[in-house]
Amino acid sequence: THRLVNSLVQGGYLIRVPDNRYMLSLKFVRLAGIVRSTLGVRDIARSTMTQIAAYTCETVSLNMISGNSRLCIEVIETPAPLMHIVRPGEQLSLLHGASGKILLSYMSRTDVRQVLKVSHKNDRPSEEALFKQLDTFRRQGYAVTSNERALGVMAVSVPLFDASDTVSSCLTLSGPTVRLEHRIDQFIALM
């Protein structure tokens, strides 16, 4: 128990008060807010995701920033036998794929550099090329990638703005390139 308590203190989740007792830190309030906002986004987005999936017959996912990664929090799968598999709870790099890149495009340059800094060297694009691509995605309001995170997969991702006009989550339509590439303009307009 002592080791667990010390770990929570070091992590900033517990604070030791003068009478040698412990109390929860404000970090728990922040975590509660994240969970509450995540549930709200999921609840709000689910009906739209279902409509998009029904219309396109492709996989639609809801992703959010989680530290230096992106976290999938909801998925509506395609009924097609050939599909891009996305799993809720899956945590992936922000550096590859439409979801990660649209989220990066709304982050500050300092935060993007931090993501680059903690990524694996062989997984890291050049900073100049990445910023050029992110600027394009932000200007056009969507990201499209093909064969970037997985061979044969194409994706379109759009940012979701919260009440304070910041982006911490996105909607993504993904599927096999052979099905998406000839309808990509239609899917971009839909997203």
Side-chain angles (χ1 to χ4, degrees), residues 46-190:
R46 186 145 180 84
S47 65
T48 301
M49 293 172 66
T50 302
Q51 291 171 2
I52 293 169
Y55 178 77
T56 63
C57 295
E58 298 298 346
T59 299
V60 180
S61 61
L62 175 62
N63 300 275
M64 67 179 289
I65 297 170
S66 176
N68 291 315
S69 303
R70 73 167 174 88
L71 173 67
C72 178
I73 59 173
E74 188 67 67
V75 177
I76 307 293
E77 291 183 343
T78 177
L82 179 61
M83 64 188 283
H84 177 225
I85 297 172
V86 182
R87 293 181 181 90
E90 186 175 54
Q91 214 164 2
L92 298 164
S93 170
L94 285 165
L95 295 173
H96 302 289
S99 299
K101 290 202 171 161
I102 199 66
L103 292 170
L104 277 177
S105 70
Y106 287 88
M107 292 170 69
S108 71
R109 297 237 177 199
T110 303
D111 290 342
V112 173
R113 284 187 183 99
Q114 177 60 31
V115 170
L116 280 167
K117 183 178 169 183
V118 299
S119 67
H120 298 290
K121 287 184 182 181
N122 59 350
D123 191 42
R124 194 180 303 157
S126 83
E127 186 176 302
E128 183 181 336
L130 178 64
F131 280 127
K132 183 176 179 181
Q133 186 181 42
L134 297 179
D135 289 343
T136 299
F137 290 161
R138 185 177 180 132
R139 188 173 50 256
Q140 65 192 18
Y142 63 88
V144 175
T145 59
S146 182
N147 299 314
E148 193 168 296
R149 199 176 68 73
L151 189 61
V153 173
M154 188 171 213
V156 180
S157 190
V158 294
L160 298 178
F161 294 88
D162 64 17
S164 61
D165 211 29
T166 59
V167 173
S168 60
S169 55
C170 66
L171 274 185
T172 303
L173 172 76
S174 62
T177 304
V178 296
R179 284 203 309 260
L180 264 68
E181 65 186 345
H182 68 281
R183 296 176 65 193
I184 197 64
D185 291 335
Q186 176 188 4
F187 291 160
I188 289 168
L190 175 67

